[in-house]
Amino acid sequence: MEIDKAIGESDDKRLKTKYNNAIFVIKRALALYSIEEVAFSFNGGKDSTVLLHLLRAGYFLHKKELTCSNGGLSSFPVRTIYFESTSAFTEINAFTYDAAQTYDLQLDIIRQDFKSGLEALLKANPIRAIFLGVRIGDPTAVGQEQFSPSSPGWPPFMRVNPILDWSYRDVWAFLLTCKVKYCSLYDQGYTSIGSIHDTVPNALLSVNDTSSKEKFKPAYLLSDGRLERAGRVKKSASTKNDVGSDSQNHEVLLASVIAVGDEFLSGTVEDQLGLSLCKKLTSVGWSVQQTSVLRNDIDSVSEEVDRQRSICDMVFIYGGVGPLHSDVTLAGVAKAFGVRLAPDEEFEEYLRHLISEQCTGDRNEMAQLPEGITELLHHEKLSVPLIKCRNVIVLAATNPEELEKEWDCLTELTKLGGSTSLMELYASRRLMTSLTDVEVAEPLSKLGLEFPDIYIGCYRKSRQGPIIICLKGKDNARIDLAVQALCKKFKQGAFVDMKTDTSLVTGRA
């Protein structure tokens, strides 16, 4: 088989490892399910093109083991699903149909949305497993493993992901080594292809040319695979969603912050990151449910992460990330999810770029990440990507300056359609008063009942100092009404607006 032969003759040891692992997954699936029970989702993109040829090779090797025959691959009987869309590039459609004819694919063309089309297909056919060209870093890859059951609410089938751990470099190494055809758009500067509405050539491949028409280098010349999706344009703001849009706009997301380090607990090092992170989360509309400081112990980290991830939308954890014996954060996160730490070759490439050959999967524990649940969040301003394990963000920052950089990258990435969509900002007002606790206690309690959507908090900077009342919510007009209602309960000038430093005069005479 030409694919297996091309890989066998290659000097690329990494590609051989990736190929062998993918073939193992494919052969395993073909051993678990009959050929009538499997299907392949093909969309004409580079990842599914890689998977097409891996499946051809895997089926050939599987059949060879069963029959002990060295005969060629006369047919490829795996059912192939293509979801045809009016917003697809004509080049994608043309390449898909050309590949179907070239490799004699049993093409099922579906013109419905993915879920509805899948339900209809599975109802009519005994399909139990579907091969997908999903890679870690894809929006749909979150939480998936090489064998993952379909999500709740979807028709039941096994998702098989042979190239889940492949990088951008691996994809192009395979396509070029095997000399197989791929969609022509990739030679025009496209590095990640979606619909005609959200995809443009990657500007990083632009060629300086005196001609009026802009030219681009081919996709395989993109030197930094982290920027693969730089050609996906941001969708313009749309109208409300049909389902649940009003409730989503006013939903308060919960976060927890976990610091790991004996040095924090002994007072040797001051935890500056926790305070800064809480401020940043609050500023973008999140409610911080809890902060905690843990010792360097895998079980302690595991138990706290497991507890917080189940009650919060997102958990942020920092400290204890590195190759030292006391760096237990990633091991604790892995244990919380019930997975093992495994070498991640893509992440190791970034580390090797920083610390040269000192970094290997065997010698540097930083190259090992929680297996099957890790998503690398890439940004050109970061020397290594941020680590996301489902709803847990692992921060590598050790000081406020580094946190500022990671935070800016994280918010930019998530706003572009990542998994932690930031909600609308909080509105807030802070009032200062010299009234006593006793004088304001009952009015504030009643105000809270009158305005349940407004958070009302009080604090002092010193025991003898004035009371500062903070009102926070999603609606500025509601906060203004709450302030007016509070001021009416007291004499004029009882409260000073700390933003304007002026007395509020809406109180009673």
Side-chain angles (χ1 to χ4, degrees):
M1 208 275 177
E2 76 278 6
I3 299 298
D4 194 60
K5 184 173 183 292
I7 297 297
E9 294 174 350
S10 171
D11 294 327
D12 191 335
K13 293 182 180 179
R14 174 185 170 122
L15 177 59
K16 285 184 176 180
T17 299
K18 295 289 185 180
Y19 171 78
N20 289 332
N21 291 342
I23 292 297
F24 175 81
V25 173
I26 291 168
K27 289 165 66 177
R28 177 64 177 157
L30 294 176
L32 290 171
Y33 306 100
S34 69
I35 201 68
E36 293 80 19
E37 294 176 324
V38 298
F40 160 46
S41 180
F42 186 53
N43 62 15
K46 63 184 185 304
D47 298 338
S48 65
T49 300
V50 167
L51 183 54
L52 165 63
H53 295 289
L54 286 172
L55 284 171
R56 293 178 61 240
Y59 176 71
F60 164 77
L61 294 170
H62 172 70
K63 189 176 178 182
K64 179 180 176 182
E65 289 178 0
L66 292 178
T67 62
C68 298
S69 169
N70 290 318
L73 183 64
S74 58
S75 64
F76 180 68
V78 178
R79 183 183 296 275
T80 304
I81 311 167
Y82 179 53
F83 289 85
E84 190 177 81
S85 170
T86 55
S87 61
F89 284 87
T90 55
E91 291 88 344
I92 285 286
N93 281 330
F95 172 74
T96 300
Y97 293 125
D98 181 61
Q101 185 174 10
T102 301
Y103 302 109
D104 193 24
L105 304 181
Q106 299 181 25
L107 202 63
D108 283 317
I109 302 171
I110 298 177
R111 295 181 174 86
Q112 298 173 274
D113 66 272
F114 194 86
K115 187 175 182 181
S116 300
L118 207 54
E119 287 174 342
L121 180 71
L122 268 61
K123 188 175 182 180
N125 299 277
I127 295 172
R128 296 175 58 199
I130 300 178
F131 291 100
L132 301 169
V134 173
R135 292 191 290 119
I136 287 293
D138 294 343
T140 58
V142 180
Q144 289 203 51
E145 300 180 23
Q146 289 173 323
F147 287 84
S148 289
S150 55
S151 302
W154 284 70
F157 67 95
M158 181 64 71
R159 293 175 289 188
V160 185
N161 303 309
I163 63 170
L164 189 64
D165 63 341
W166 284 43
S167 67
Y168 184 84
R169 170 204 177 280
D170 298 326
V171 166
W172 282 109
F174 178 89
L175 293 173
L176 297 177
T177 297
C178 296
K179 297 179 177 155
V180 294
K181 287 184 178 181
Y182 52 82
C183 180
S184 62
L185 289 174
Y186 293 111
D187 285 332
Q188 301 171 35
Y190 291 83
T191 53
S192 177
I193 301 174
S195 77
I196 57 175
H197 305 298
D198 67 0
T199 310
V200 295
N202 195 321
L204 297 168
L205 293 174
S206 179
V207 177
N208 292 325
D209 195 291
T210 55
S211 63
S212 58
K213 186 177 180 180
E214 191 172 9
K215 295 182 179 179
F216 296 87
K217 292 180 286 188
Y220 56 79
L221 292 181
L222 182 68
S223 59
D224 191 345
R226 293 175 295 178
L227 306 176
E228 170 187 0
R229 298 180 69 83
R232 293 294 189 97
V233 296
K234 201 172 181 179
K235 290 185 178 179
S236 58
S238 59
T239 56
K240 294 179 180 179
N241 297 327
D242 292 335
V243 181
S245 58
D246 289 333
S247 61
Q248 284 184 342
N249 287 340
H250 294 282
E251 180 185 1
V252 177
L253 297 182
L254 301 180
S256 66
V257 175
I258 301 174
V260 179
D262 292 346
E263 64 277 11
F264 297 135
L265 292 170
S266 65
T268 306
V269 175
E270 181 183 358
D271 178 19
Q272 298 178 324
L273 298 186
L275 175 63
S276 180
L277 192 54
C278 287
K279 287 182 178 179
K280 292 180 182 300
L281 285 164
T282 302
S283 72
V284 294
W286 287 70
S287 175
V288 179
Q289 183 82 351
Q290 179 178 323
T291 64
S292 54
V293 182
L294 309 177
R295 61 191 179 93
N296 296 326
D297 176 72
I298 293 177
D299 289 335
S300 297
V301 174
S302 171
E303 290 169 7
E304 186 66 11
V305 169
D306 190 40
R307 179 165 49 249
Q308 295 304 325
R309 74 182 180 91
S310 64
I311 61 177
C312 293
D313 298 285
M314 193 62 62
V315 178
F316 296 84
I317 188 168
Y318 57 90
V321 179
L324 301 176
H325 73 284
S326 58
D327 295 325
V328 299
T329 293
L330 287 171
V333 171
K335 188 172 182 178
F337 285 100
V339 301
R340 69 185 182 104
L341 286 177
D344 186 288
E345 294 183 14
E346 183 180 1
F347 195 63
E348 188 175 343
E349 280 192 1
Y350 294 102
L351 296 178
R352 183 175 288 114
H353 180 72
L354 290 178
I355 56 179
S356 190
E357 292 302 318
Q358 296 177 42
C359 172
T360 69
D362 295 325
R363 294 168 54 196
N364 193 324
E365 292 301 317
M366 289 183 71
Q368 299 202 24
L369 302 177
E371 186 178 37
I373 63 169
T374 299
E375 176 185 359
L376 298 180
L377 303 179
H378 306 287
H379 197 286
E380 64 270 17
K381 293 181 181 177
L382 298 176
S383 54
V384 293
L386 292 167
I387 299 169
K388 179 177 179 294
C389 301
R390 294 186 181 166
N391 66 332
V392 177
I393 299 289
V394 181
L395 299 169
T398 60
N399 59 58
E401 290 73 25
E402 292 174 355
L403 177 64
E404 188 75 31
K405 186 177 182 179
E406 290 187 6
W407 177 261
D408 289 344
C409 294
L410 177 63
T411 53
E412 183 178 334
L413 289 168
T414 53
K415 284 180 180 178
L416 289 174
S419 52
T420 58
S421 301
L422 300 176
M423 309 303 285
E424 59 185 274
L425 303 184
Y426 275 128
S428 64
R429 293 277 294 278
R430 287 194 302 160
L431 312 178
M432 185 169 62
T433 181
S434 57
L435 295 169
T436 66
D437 294 20
V438 174
E439 289 176 297
V440 299
E442 185 178 351
L444 285 178
S445 295
K446 292 180 177 179
L447 189 70
L449 295 174
E450 187 178 350
F451 293 88
D453 55 320
I454 304 296
Y455 165 80
I456 303 172
C458 303
Y459 65 94
R460 278 191 171 91
K461 292 186 177 180
S462 68
R463 176 44 57 189
Q464 303 303 321
I467 299 173
I468 298 173
I469 302 171
C470 179
L471 297 92
K472 188 182 300 181
K474 295 283 186 177
D475 191 331
N476 243 323
R478 287 283 294 170
I479 292 177
D480 290 341
L481 287 174
V483 169
Q484 292 172 20
L486 177 63
C487 291
K488 287 179 180 178
K489 300 177 186 295
F490 297 91
K491 291 183 179 180
Q492 291 185 3
F495 300 95
V496 173
D497 190 326
M498 295 184 67
K499 187 175 182 180
T500 60
D501 199 30
T502 56
S503 296
L504 297 172
V505 295
T506 53
R508 68 189 182 202

